[in-house]
Amino acid sequence: MINYMRSEAYKLLRTKGIYITYTICISLLILAALILYYFGHRGDYFPYYRADFYYNNVFGFWLLIAMIGAMINSFLTNKESKRVAKQSISFGIHRKTIFFGKYLVSLIAYTILCIIGLIVMLICGQLLLPEDSRAVQEFLLSLINFSPIILGAFSLAHAINIMMYKESVAVTVTVFILLGSSTIMYILSNMNKAFEILYNHTPQVLSERVLTEFMKHQVTLSADFWISSIIITSLSLWIGYSRFNKEDF
């Protein structure tokens, strides 16, 4: 597994897309802070010149953040990678090693991007926006609740990416599940209250809950986010691996 992960990491490091993704994401974070700083110093009152508004965009754009993870994962699960995986299997590499090796390497790359992005946001928030230690503390606490949502979405994206041959179809299916699950559960919960607990644990509803708690300064750590993540991650990886293990290459 370790040797395979090293080869996948080397392959990822040779992909231009990973560097482009890192550059664009970090640039957008800096640009957002600069825009708030510019309008906050024009002389007129600008209500969004606040650190908490800058930070809450992370939770508001949860789907975009999840899809960035899906894109990083796709660098190791695209059509060309599947062709190479076929050769790897013929050379005796176990499918379990391939499936989870790609998952872990892309997850590590995604986590590094998230950590860099967090550091950049905190620095920009301190240097370019009014100092707000409370916003920083609540932002970091909210991230503890928010991280498992993104982990579950990433695991789902990996399973779909590796099952689908067309990347456009994989993206569509991933977005549909992440957004459509809450809509479907909402309709079912109106028909039967038993589905309400499932509705309250869908990624979209949980993300909105994180955003609402942060904006109202009522951030509390909850196991609900991790329970939902464990279920989504486990189901996604189990279904994805089962399908991949039966794939006829």
Side-chain angles (χ1 to χ4, degrees):
M1 172 71 84
I2 298 300
N3 290 333
Y4 183 78
M5 288 179 63
R6 286 175 180 170
S7 67
E8 289 297 292
Y10 177 73
K11 184 190 304 179
L12 187 61
L13 290 173
R14 294 185 61 188
T15 304
K16 291 182 180 179
I18 190 69
Y19 299 105
I20 295 174
T21 302
Y22 270 51
T23 302
I24 291 176
C25 291
I26 301 305
S27 298
L28 287 176
L29 293 176
I30 297 174
L31 179 61
L34 289 173
I35 290 175
L36 293 178
Y37 177 82
Y38 170 75
F39 283 102
H41 286 77
R42 290 188 62 185
D44 299 330
Y45 172 68
F46 186 61
Y48 302 113
Y49 179 55
R50 310 190 317 268
D52 61 336
F53 178 79
Y54 178 55
Y55 296 140
N56 72 31
N57 282 281
V58 172
F59 312 125
F61 289 99
W62 71 274
L63 183 61
L64 175 61
I65 293 174
M67 296 315 297
I68 290 173
M71 182 170 60
I72 291 176
N73 179 263
S74 70
F75 295 145
L76 295 179
T77 55
N78 54 31
K79 187 179 296 185
E80 176 62 22
S81 296
K82 289 184 175 71
R83 185 186 64 81
V84 176
K86 179 180 179 180
Q87 297 176 354
S88 299
I89 293 173
S90 65
F91 285 123
I93 298 179
H94 199 280
R95 294 183 184 224
K96 183 178 181 180
T97 299
I98 296 174
F99 181 86
F100 288 101
K102 290 179 180 294
Y103 172 74
L104 292 174
V105 170
S106 56
L107 178 60
I108 291 172
Y110 182 44
T111 302
I112 292 174
L113 173 60
C114 291
I115 292 174
I116 295 175
L118 172 60
I119 294 173
V120 169
M121 288 194 71
L122 292 176
I123 292 175
C124 288
Q126 292 297 311
L127 297 180
L128 300 176
L129 301 172
E131 185 176 350
D132 190 343
S133 57
R134 180 182 180 183
V136 173
Q137 181 181 3
E138 292 182 344
F139 176 56
L140 294 176
L141 285 175
S142 296
L143 285 177
I144 298 177
N145 289 333
F146 186 67
S147 298
I149 301 174
I150 299 302
L151 174 62
F154 180 86
S155 302
L156 173 67
H158 173 68
I160 294 175
N161 281 341
I162 212 161
M163 287 191 296
M164 300 291 180
Y165 285 100
K166 292 185 177 181
E167 295 177 31
S168 58
V169 176
V171 170
T172 303
V173 173
T174 302
V175 172
F176 175 78
I177 294 176
L178 291 175
L179 294 181
S181 58
S182 59
T183 302
I184 294 172
M185 290 304 163
Y186 178 75
I187 295 173
L188 292 176
S189 65
N190 287 331
M191 299 170 59
N192 191 324
K193 292 299 180 182
F195 290 97
E196 189 170 345
I197 188 172
L198 295 177
Y199 167 71
N200 290 329
H201 286 79
T202 55
Q204 183 176 8
V205 173
L206 288 176
S207 298
E208 291 174 353
R209 176 178 159 187
V210 173
L211 176 61
T212 301
E213 290 181 355
F214 178 75
M215 293 178 66
K216 292 183 176 181
H217 306 290
Q218 298 175 347
V219 180
T220 55
L221 299 181
S222 174
D224 292 351
F225 300 96
W226 289 97
I227 293 173
S228 174
S229 175
I230 291 172
I231 293 174
I232 294 175
T233 298
S234 300
L235 282 176
S236 298
L237 295 181
W238 176 66
I239 294 173
Y241 174 65
S242 299
R243 176 71 180 274
F244 181 70
N245 201 34
K246 296 176 181 178
E247 192 74 32
D248 184 14
F249 288 98

